[in-house]
Amino acid sequence: MMGGETLYELRCSLQLAELEREGGFAPHISPFTAVTDLGNLLEQAGFNMLTVDIDEIVVNYPGIFEVMEDLRGMGESNCAWSRKPLLHRDTMLAAAAIYKEMYGNDDGSVPATFQILYMIGWKPHESQAKPAHRGSATLSIGDLGKMSELITKKNKEF
């Protein structure tokens, strides 16, 4: 699942260009899930022992238009019902200049950051094994240092 910081470079560049050229901005990238919201949703669904891992993958593109072309090809363009249908050409050119200026690499390329979220949760079930009762162990933790001796002794018995 894509995380909330995905494509922050593109989002910021589009917002700044639109503010400058049109006096306001509209979202042009679909919203993504915040890590905290994901954890809360899993918890509300009855999961416990939650783990949410994050990977950030940075892909370099020649420019903003190649980033947007790739997103369109992946089916990741904005899916909001009430989105603004188009961006003016001068706004797009301003966004490209802002993107390159604020985030551009030394080689002229621009980065696009994809935050990938992985989640794991455990939901107890009556069929799962239960922990042993306290004090029911047959070995003590102090015996762990002598483990090789215990294994050798057991093998000799067989």
Side-chain angles (χ1 to χ4, degrees):
M1 170 179 284
M2 297 288 190
E5 295 300 312
T6 296
L7 299 171
Y8 71 88
E9 306 96 341
L10 178 62
R11 244 182 299 158
C12 183
S13 300
L14 288 170
Q15 288 174 357
L16 289 172
E18 206 168 9
L19 270 171
E20 177 190 315
R21 301 293 169 144
E22 300 177 30
F25 69 89
H28 293 284
I29 298 172
S30 296
F32 296 108
T33 308
V35 176
T36 53
D37 293 341
L38 186 59
N40 292 338
L41 285 171
L42 287 169
E43 193 173 304
Q44 287 178 0
F47 289 93
N48 55 24
M49 294 193 314
L50 304 175
T51 301
V52 179
D53 288 330
I54 303 170
D55 276 341
E56 281 195 0
I57 299 171
V58 179
V59 180
N60 292 310
Y61 288 91
I64 192 171
F65 301 108
E66 289 81 5
V67 175
M68 294 171 77
E69 184 180 338
D70 253 12
L71 292 173
R72 208 171 292 120
M74 291 187 290
E76 290 294 335
S77 53
N78 191 352
C79 64
W81 285 100
S82 59
R83 72 176 193 257
K84 189 175 174 184
L86 62 99
L87 273 171
H88 296 104
R89 179 178 298 195
D90 63 326
T91 304
M92 285 299 301
L93 293 173
I98 291 169
Y99 202 139
K100 222 172 227 345
E101 179 65 31
M102 287 181 68
Y103 303 106
N105 298 321
D106 293 336
D107 64 358
S109 64
V110 293
T113 303
F114 296 90
Q115 187 182 56
I116 313 296
L117 304 179
Y118 304 94
M119 60 225 127
I120 300 169
W122 186 266
K123 203 168 195 177
H125 191 268
E126 64 271 355
S127 68
Q128 76 187 50
K130 304 290 186 250
H133 294 288
R134 186 176 183 96
S136 64
T138 57
L139 290 175
S140 112
I141 291 185
D143 292 337
L144 287 177
K146 305 174 201 166
M147 192 58 93
S148 61
E149 293 172 23
L150 293 172
I151 292 172
T152 307
K153 186 177 178 181
K154 276 263 193 207
N155 288 341
K156 286 181 181 177
E157 291 176 5
F158 289 112

